[in-house]
Amino acid sequence: MFLCGMNAMILRRTATPLELVVRDVPEPGPREVLLHVTACAVCRTDLHVVDGDLPGAKPDLVPGHEIVGTVVAPGAEVHDLAIGDRVGVPWLGWTCGTCSFCRSGLENLCDLARFTGYHLDGGYADYTLADHRYCLSIPAAYNDEQAAPLLCAGLIGYRSLRMTGDAHSIGFFGFGAAAHIITQIAVHEGREVFAFTRPGDSPGQSFALSLGAKWAGSSTTEPPEPLDAAILFAPVGALVPVALRAVRKGGIVICAGIHMSDIPSFPYSLLWGERMLRSVANLTRQDGREFMALAQRIAIRTHVQRFPLESANEALRVLREGRIEGAAVLVPEIANRAR
Ligand SMILES: [Zn+2]
Ligand SMILES: [Zn+2]
């Protein structure tokens, strides 16, 4: 290998800041590709991994699962990707392919699944490895920074939106990276979006309205009309009864986050009337292909705030404080460094 070292931000211990280290550039296995990371978006799930909310992270993990990279070295058995190809690497990094979930189109639920930036090293680094079978092609119209948030915020948001069926009016609780992308898709599909933000977050409400939301307000206020569906992007269990109260009879509430604070007890009357409550877990490769095809047809404008790789802790802090408009994206600048 002609590359001798790379910068990476690693998680030594949960609930401590990531550490900048110089590591050997990894060698790809037969089915892997070595990627030069050109952009990696920062997801709320990264916060849950760093905080230790999700147990079982790989030791000395490199977080990051919204990776855009260029193939530097394909493994011996990789024939569908070549040096120089641009790919996206999402959260779903590997599945067993043989369990009942994998065989029935639900590989997102595979018990043995390995996830990028959690069980597998991710994109908070100059280089990373990915199994070529889980890489996604990215529409050419998006530059690397704009494309990165599509890989989780867009994808999980898309799976959540599909689960609302043909709901016409949809409430989004938490207006961050996912909601800002999915609002554009929902509006394109002729749906009405109602954006719920933290109380007092008038910049967030203005941002939602600028993207085509019909209404924006605080999560402590009721929508002007009962909604067909609601999607919770905020990891706040207390919003579950709030969202159930906002939907009409027969409406559905989708919990889109991988982790959520405890849901308080609530009266059965909020669920009564055939209201539904369900979670969305991970994504399938089929979701990825469908979503990228959609992103090719619709010009989604992702709003990104760039951070150098070394500022990953700062990006996580700003995300935690709810001060990112759109998505935070790490951009490694490897020229003249770590070589
Ligand atoms: Zn499986
Ligand atoms: Zn994510």
Side-chain angles (χ1 to χ4, degrees), residues 41-46 64-66 90-91 116 149 151-153 156 258 283:
V42 178
C43 177
R44 179 162 289 281
T45 298
D46 299 343
H65 58 268
E66 302 186 84
W91 172 245
T116 311
L151 287 154
C152 185
I156 300 286
I258 194 170
L283 70 142

Side-chain angles (χ1 to χ4, degrees), residues 39-326:
C40 182
V42 178
C43 177
R44 179 162 289 281
T45 298
D46 299 343
L47 279 179
H48 296 311
V49 170
V50 169
D51 289 349
D53 293 329
L54 304 177
K58 171 188 173 292
D60 291 345
L61 172 77
V62 178
H65 58 268
E66 302 186 84
I67 306 167
V68 178
T70 307
V71 176
V72 176
E77 295 174 20
V78 178
H79 304 298
D80 59 340
L81 291 173
I83 292 172
D85 285 351
R86 181 174 79 148
V87 295
V89 182
W91 172 245
L92 188 76
W94 186 89
T95 54
C96 80
T98 57
C99 72
S100 60
F101 293 118
C102 282
R103 285 187 283 108
S104 60
L106 292 170
E107 63 182 359
N108 58 309
L109 302 180
C110 176
D111 286 330
L112 298 175
R114 292 184 212 146
F115 298 108
T116 311
Y118 180 28
H119 305 120
L120 306 165
D121 280 334
Y124 286 21
D126 293 333
Y127 294 90
T128 194
L129 297 175
D131 186 315
H132 75 107
R133 297 167 297 174
Y134 295 82
C135 293
L136 296 168
S137 59
I138 296 169
Y142 297 84
N143 69 29
D144 298 341
E145 295 164 27
Q146 292 167 330
L150 300 178
L151 287 154
C152 185
L155 262 171
I156 300 286
Y158 170 77
R159 188 175 172 86
S160 306
L161 182 66
R162 284 291 161 268
M163 286 188 178
T164 67
D166 58 2
H168 182 66
S169 57
I170 306 180
F172 293 158
F173 287 81
F175 206 87
H180 102 281
I181 293 172
I182 302 307
T183 291
Q184 297 175 58
I185 295 173
V187 169
H188 176 84
E189 292 177 342
R191 306 178 195 241
E192 292 179 338
V193 171
F194 295 74
F196 296 84
T197 69
R198 297 181 200 204
D201 182 10
S202 47
Q205 292 163 17
S206 301
F207 183 45
L209 293 170
S210 76
L211 294 171
K214 181 184 180 188
W215 176 93
S218 157
S219 56
T220 56
T221 55
E222 290 192 8
E225 59 194 79
L227 306 176
D228 297 332
I231 302 175
L232 268 64
F233 292 113
V236 181
L239 289 174
V240 169
V242 173
L244 281 169
R245 192 172 280 119
V247 300
R248 60 159 171 79
K249 286 186 283 188
I252 187 166
V253 173
I254 306 287
C255 301
I258 194 170
H259 176 81
M260 188 178 255
S261 56
D262 286 353
I263 301 170
S265 68
F266 55 85
Y268 180 55
S269 59
L270 291 184
L271 190 61
W272 174 248
E274 301 196 341
R275 289 176 182 84
M276 292 165 277
L277 176 63
R278 75 176 290 183
S279 63
V280 160
N282 315 313
L283 70 142
T284 66
R285 282 173 282 180
Q286 183 60 23
D287 293 331
R289 289 187 284 268
E290 284 178 19
F291 175 69
M292 288 303 172
L294 185 63
Q296 186 149 25
R297 294 197 302 274
I298 305 174
I300 300 168
R301 285 184 57 233
T302 53
H303 295 244
V304 301
Q305 194 169 329
R306 302 169 90 235
F307 293 85
L309 172 62
E310 296 82 352
S311 300
N313 289 310
E314 167 74 2
L316 288 168
R317 187 175 62 79
V318 177
L319 176 63
R320 187 189 301 281
E321 293 168 358
R323 293 196 288 114
I324 301 280
E325 186 171 277

Side-chain angles (χ1 to χ4, degrees), residues 6-24 46 49-52 56-63 118 121 124 313 316:
M6 65 170 190
N7 283 358
M9 298 295 292
I10 66 167
L11 180 64
R12 292 266 191 223
R13 278 199 322 281
T14 55
T16 63
L18 303 178
E19 195 178 309
L20 176 65
V21 299
V22 176
R23 271 187 174 180
D24 288 343
D46 299 343
V49 170
V50 169
D51 289 349
K58 171 188 173 292
D60 291 345
L61 172 77
V62 178
Y118 180 28
D121 280 334
Y124 286 21
N313 289 310
L316 288 168

